[in-house]
Amino acid sequence: MASLNVGNLGEYLREQRRAAQLSLRQLADATGVSNPYLSQIERGLRKPSADVLQQVAKALRISAETLYVRAGILDEREREELETRAVILADPSINERQKNVLLQIYDSFRRENGFAPGPDADGKADAGRADADAEAAAGGDAGSRNGDGAGADATEDHDPRS
């Protein structure tokens, strides 16, 4: 039964290798994994380790997490959570503090919905602290925007020409 999952992985790897227009030998050179071993993986005869899958994913320029799910190493929900975290951490438009607050909010919502915090969560901050940090961050930003807007409105209300 495990061979079906590994077979599915093998078929997927073959498709991805062909889409990348690589031969098994070229993939072996790019990954440092032997040609016969890669062939056995593609034919569903071997279940590769996470390290081998990571090397293959890197060479094929695909998500290692997707391969982990197909190999039965990672649950689909875990993959989605890891990808969500990776996208947040990779976003160049927000600073590190904002990324941390966003991840705390994400973990808070996951706890609220019955899921454990992710592997990158520090685990030290409780839900209350994450909520307080998130509210403080949102309140600080909203307060400065509201303050600017309120100032403009106040000036208009007290304009003697009105």
Side-chain angles (χ1 to χ4, degrees):
M1 280 137 232
S3 63
L4 292 176
N5 194 11
V6 175
N8 185 14
L9 170 68
E11 292 169 18
Y12 179 75
L13 284 176
R14 181 178 293 123
E15 289 171 11
Q16 294 302 308
R17 178 178 57 79
R18 288 180 177 164
Q21 299 180 341
L22 292 173
S23 69
L24 264 176
R25 190 174 312 264
Q26 290 169 321
L27 183 59
D29 290 342
T31 60
V33 178
S34 76
N35 185 4
Y37 187 68
L38 289 174
S39 175
Q40 290 174 348
I41 294 170
E42 282 191 0
R43 291 181 286 142
L45 302 175
R46 292 283 189 138
K47 182 174 181 177
S49 69
D51 290 337
V52 168
L53 289 174
Q54 185 174 21
Q55 289 300 108
V56 170
K58 190 175 181 181
L60 294 174
R61 298 175 189 240
I62 59 175
S63 164
E65 288 81 10
T66 299
L67 296 183
Y68 297 160
V69 169
R70 289 187 176 266
I73 295 172
L74 187 65
D75 181 77
E76 180 70 21
R77 285 186 180 165
E78 292 174 35
R79 180 189 67 84
E80 290 170 358
E81 179 189 353
L82 288 173
E83 288 178 351
T84 300
R85 291 178 172 285
V87 168
I88 291 169
L89 293 171
D91 189 338
S93 67
I94 57 177
N95 65 38
E96 291 303 312
R97 184 189 66 78
Q98 291 167 330
K99 290 176 185 179
N100 287 332
V101 170
L102 191 53
L103 288 172
Q104 288 174 351
I105 293 168
Y106 179 65
D107 286 335
S108 175
F109 285 148
R110 286 182 52 79
R111 276 191 294 273
E112 186 178 311
N113 293 331
F115 295 96
D120 292 340
D122 64 12
K124 295 175 189 168
D126 62 354
R129 178 171 173 191
D131 291 342
D133 290 346
E135 287 175 19
D141 292 340
S144 65
R145 282 192 298 269
N146 289 341
D148 293 344
D153 291 342
T155 303
E156 291 172 12
D157 289 343
H158 294 96
D159 187 354
R161 291 176 285 185
S162 315

